[in-house]
């Protein structure tokens, strides 16, 4: 079992910046990739950023160039730097872990944090 705790959300005006972090504890040895998702009211949860075990990163077009994901393996944490925030970025942001898919069921390590609110006011 892995426990994830997010922090660093808050309220910011358009164009501002926020940084969120996620700390993993428990059986963290199963973690391969770590990422951030977000869910706004009335919308489906969507991927924001992900970083693999080889430090390969991916960002969707909606946040590319504005958000940066980073990872501290020694501390089992992942952070999300959010710059030039827009109203459309308002959502609950969730940290997520993934296991090694090459190991099949034995490598499963899919856990979610409880989320942190990011509000970009007009």
């Amino acid at each position: 079992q892995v426990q994830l705790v997010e922090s660093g959300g808050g309220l910011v005006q358009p164009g501002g910046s926020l940084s969120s972090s996620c700390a993993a504890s428990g059986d963290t040895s199963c973690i391969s990739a770590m990422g951030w998702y977000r869910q706004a009211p009335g919308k489906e949860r969507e991927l924001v950023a992900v970083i693999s075990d080889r430090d390969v990163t991916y960002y969707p077009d909606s946040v590319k160039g504005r958000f940066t994901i980073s990872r501290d393996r020694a501390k089992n944490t992942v952070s999300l730097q959010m710059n030039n925030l827009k109203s459309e970025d308002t959502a609950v942001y969730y940290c997520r872990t993934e296991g090694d898919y090459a190991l099949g069921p034995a490598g499963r390590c899919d856990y979610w944090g409880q989320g942190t609110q990011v509000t970009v006011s007009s």
Side-chain angles (χ1 to χ4, degrees):
Q1 183 74 32
V2 174
Q3 293 177 308
L4 301 172
V5 180
E6 301 100 332
S7 63
L11 174 66
V12 66
Q13 294 187 351
S17 298
L18 284 174
S19 181
S20 296
S21 63
C22 171
S25 61
D27 188 14
T28 59
S29 62
C30 69
I31 300 173
S32 181
M34 299 186 73
W36 289 91
Y37 290 70
R38 68 186 181 188
Q39 187 166 25
K43 299 182 64 177
E44 296 184 353
R45 190 170 298 186
E46 63 176 344
L47 175 68
V48 173
V50 64
I51 182 167
S52 75
D53 59 335
R54 297 176 295 174
D55 292 327
V56 177
T57 59
Y58 170 80
Y59 307 90
D61 290 340
S62 59
V63 307
K64 190 176 299 182
R66 300 188 297 119
F67 290 10
T68 302
I69 188 170
S70 61
R71 186 173 185 173
D72 187 333
R73 297 179 183 275
K75 297 180 179 179
N76 289 315
T77 60
V78 62
S79 299
L80 184 68
Q81 178 66 44
M82 297 171 279
N83 297 325
N84 191 25
L85 284 160
K86 306 175 180 179
S87 296
E88 305 90 90
D89 296 318
T90 296
V92 177
Y93 283 69
Y94 298 91
C95 178
R96 190 202 184 203
T97 61
E98 295 181 1
D100 187 351
Y101 293 124
L103 299 177
R108 291 182 62 86
C109 188
D110 304 325
Y111 299 95
W112 293 93
Q114 292 187 319
T116 184
Q117 177 71 46
V118 172
T119 301
V120 185
S121 65
S122 59

